[in-house]
Amino acid sequence: KYTPTNIKLDKPPHERYKGNGAKSLIDLNKGSTTFSDGLWLGYENQHLIATMDLGKAAAISGVTVGALEAPGSYIFYPKGMKVSLSTDGKKYREVITKTYPTTEANKPNEVKNFTEIFETQSARFVKIEVRSNLVNPAWHPAPGAPCWLFVDEISVE
């Protein structure tokens, strides 16, 4: 619904999976089930935090984050998501925090959207924290090894 005028990342993605930087998250060019397609932002053993500037205040009621899961390549869907809004870009108020279950077995690569809807609020800035599992789950052939979070396309409604 809204096209941000700017997007910033708190930390850059891994050098091998940097896509087109922060702009990859809002360019409407969706990543495939192939994590090396150059469209994904990959984070190893860390979370992704992105802040969008919508250019002016708007009525915000939801956020969607696209993610990739490829357990055989140590890539897992997000563990959770937190969304905070601001009118000035300095003082943020948390509007929703969600936790998602971790995959319990190996499976083929897939892409999924994580959508969170909340009470409509006016904001110019939207901060999205996409939480990684950080390490592989206990069932994985390499339990406890650092895992990846792959995100592409964040949309605001």
Side-chain angles (χ1 to χ4, degrees), residues 79-107:
K79 182 74 174 167
M81 179 168 43
K82 179 167 83 171
V83 179
S84 302
L85 304 178
S86 173
T87 54
D88 62 6
K90 295 177 182 134
K91 184 179 177 190
Y92 285 84
R93 64 191 179 283
E94 185 179 318
V95 293
I96 195 162
T97 299
K98 286 290 183 171
T99 302
Y100 308 118
T102 301
T103 297
E104 296 180 3
N106 200 7
K107 61 182 183 175

Side-chain angles (χ1 to χ4, degrees), residues 60-72:
I60 310 297
S61 62
V63 170
T64 298
V65 173
L68 169 70
E69 184 159 78

